[in-house]
Amino acid sequence: MPFKVIKQNILKFNEDRADKIRRTLDKRGVFMVNIISSPGSGKTTLLEKVTPLLKSEEISFAILAGDCFTSNDAVRLDKAGAKVTQINTGNACHIDAQLIQKALKEVNIGELDFVIVENVGNMVCPAEFDLGEDCKIALLSVPEGHDKPLKYPLLFKESELVIINKLDLLKQTDFDLEQCEKNIFKVNPKVCILKMSCRNGRGINAFVKWIKERISNKNKSFDLATS
Amino acid sequence: MHELTITKNLISVLEKETVSHEIGKVKNVYLEVGKMRYIVPEIMNASFENMPKCEKLKGAKLKIKILPIMIQCVNCKKEFELDEYEDFCRSCNSKGNTCIISGDEFNLKGIEW
């Protein structure tokens, strides 16, 4: 039988689009993160808590909130005072670069310092799709168990920051915090870990500080590139 | 579930690659996918079968080869096959100093017609 050698990445179309997004954001010095976690781990609550703090720091930001069908999260974030664009993925369990391209057209990126993508709740599929972000953030909550980093290594390997949320529930569960950190470092020894409880506020300020530093680093490289 | 979107991407690539008159009705599509990509071949096959595609691709079969997770230590150059990924060298104990040599592929290798 005749054979044709192709040798191409199956996700090339997505990756080409993601590169385009990255170049657009780099040109304007906009920092973008892609937050990935299981459903119910606290992504939206975290963003609700962070919104007023970012506003008081005069950081101009937009949230692109992914959800299969509803706009529940976008409504919550809108109430909290954030600029939100809803991305409904329908049957898809993740956001891809094409959806981000579309959503970015609805926000004026020239006015922004920062874009937050709240991905669809899922630890497997979203990790596969590059969205053109500067970095991925993995969010893991105490009730999910400390073995998650080993079960979903791709997400934890690709993330620059891991947030362990719902620490207020430590006493009610068998979650082993030390073992969890060991598991995270096993797949990604260089990652930064932030311990958090959106309920009692622990770690929220540290997260805002991390965001501010990353925005300022991006601005610096942007200034260097344009000067 | 991501098999659906991945298959859609695959069909777009294949439709471009099979435009040439020399290529007839495709029988087999060869893929190499790393273990870390969590692909379930059965779901990928079913997605491919049921998704709309050009005439040349109808009836084609996916031949999916799952590649093992292999890392190489940058420090001591030793290679290891792993069941669960870790960025750690079992030989010289260095951490965060390995590179993946297999296990994260998502490649279309070729087609047979």
Side-chain angles (χ1 to χ4, degrees):
Chain A
M1 272 191 275
F3 193 90
K4 181 182 175 186
V5 176
I6 300 177
K7 280 192 189 162
Q8 204 190 87
N9 184 337
I10 305 172
L11 291 180
K12 188 180 180 301
F13 288 151
N14 187 71
E15 279 169 22
D16 288 348
R17 285 200 183 99
D19 285 340
K20 221 171 173 183
I21 294 169
R22 196 167 280 121
R23 282 198 297 274
T24 308
L25 296 173
D26 284 353
K27 224 190 279 172
R28 292 169 174 81
V30 182
F31 177 58
M32 183 162 100
V33 297
N34 177 6
I35 305 184
I36 302 175
S37 80
S38 308
S41 57
K43 292 184 292 299
T44 311
T45 308
L46 169 62
L47 296 178
E48 277 176 326
K49 300 273 177 187
V50 159
T51 290
L53 300 175
L54 292 177
K55 286 177 98 170
S56 70
E57 297 280 351
E58 293 182 349
I59 292 170
S60 171
F61 68 102
I63 300 174
L64 313 181
D67 193 301
C68 289
F69 298 107
T70 75
S71 56
N72 295 357
D73 293 352
V75 170
R76 279 171 63 188
L77 294 167
D78 183 59
K79 264 191 201 154
K83 266 186 239 165
V84 200
T85 299
Q86 174 72 47
I87 303 176
N88 280 120
T89 57
N91 286 324
C93 45
H94 58 270
I95 297 175
D96 67 9
Q98 196 179 0
L99 291 169
I100 294 295
Q101 273 180 325
K102 225 197 257 173
L104 282 175
K105 278 185 192 145
E106 287 178 33
V107 295
N108 189 354
I109 51 172
E111 286 174 2
L112 298 179
D113 305 306
F114 183 35
V115 176
I116 307 166
V117 178
E118 181 188 350
N119 219 310
V120 179
N122 182 335
M123 276 192 168
V124 181
C125 315
E128 306 282 7
F129 292 85
D130 184 4
L131 305 180
E133 72 273 356
D134 289 277
C135 71
K136 291 186 176 69
I137 298 174
L139 182 72
L140 165 72
S141 69
V142 164
E144 293 166 53
H146 50 257
D147 58 340
K148 289 297 166 291
L150 300 180
K151 288 181 97 169
Y152 305 100
L154 188 67
L155 168 62
F156 290 89
K157 173 186 156 296
E158 302 252 304
S159 296
E160 275 185 43
L161 175 69
V162 176
I163 298 174
I164 307 177
N165 189 27
K166 304 193 188 179
L167 277 193
D168 51 290
L169 293 177
L170 264 183
K171 280 188 188 142
Q172 284 84 23
T173 64
D174 295 328
F175 188 90
D176 184 336
L177 186 58
E178 199 182 319
Q179 188 58 46
C180 183
E181 289 182 86
K182 272 188 195 157
N183 291 344
I184 294 168
F185 285 132
K186 211 169 167 187
V187 292
N188 190 346
K190 290 169 190 155
V191 77
C192 177
I193 298 179
L194 202 58
K195 293 170 203 155
M196 189 178 280
S197 163
C198 286
R199 203 170 182 194
N200 66 25
R202 177 179 171 186
I204 305 273
N205 285 326
F207 182 45
V208 173
K209 192 172 161 240
W210 181 89
I211 293 169
K212 274 175 65 184
E213 275 172 18
R214 293 301 305 259
I215 292 175
S216 116
N217 286 350
K218 181 111 188 199
N219 283 337
K220 269 182 218 153
S221 57
F222 172 64
D223 290 342
L224 280 175
T226 51
S227 62
Chain B
M1 265 303 286
H2 57 165
E3 284 85 354
L4 272 177
T5 319
I6 291 162
T7 308
K8 211 167 137 193
N9 276 268
L10 170 68
I11 292 174
S12 311
V13 177
L14 285 171
E15 286 181 340
K16 274 197 178 160
E17 293 287 341
T18 51
V19 166
S20 157
H21 302 302
E22 290 161 27
I23 296 173
K25 214 165 158 46
V26 177
K27 289 200 176 77
N28 294 315
V29 176
Y30 291 89
L31 304 176
E32 279 183 358
V33 182
K35 197 178 164 188
M36 278 164 85
R37 296 293 186 175
Y38 318 101
I39 284 290
V40 182
E42 291 79 1
I43 299 180
M44 187 113 178
N45 283 324
S47 311
F48 186 75
E49 215 179 297
N50 293 311
M51 229 173 242
K53 50 195 165 296
C54 70
E55 275 306 314
K56 276 186 184 175
L57 294 174
K58 281 182 188 162
K61 292 270 173 280
L62 297 186
K63 303 281 179 188
I64 305 169
K65 187 175 172 191
I66 302 287
L67 300 180
I69 304 171
M70 302 268 300
I71 58 165
Q72 184 180 38
C73 176
V74 176
N75 193 28
C76 73
K77 307 284 181 234
K78 281 256 168 60
E79 292 179 9
F80 303 91
E81 184 178 333
L82 304 173
D83 282 333
E84 283 177 352
Y85 173 78
E86 57 181 359
D87 192 353
F88 172 72
C89 175
R90 292 173 191 181
S91 176
C92 71
N93 294 328
S94 69
K95 273 184 190 169
N97 206 14
T98 68
C99 57
I100 295 176
I101 47 178
S102 151
D104 63 350
E105 297 80 357
F106 236 143
N107 294 331
L108 166 62
K109 299 300 284 183
I111 49 169
E112 208 168 38
W113 67 93

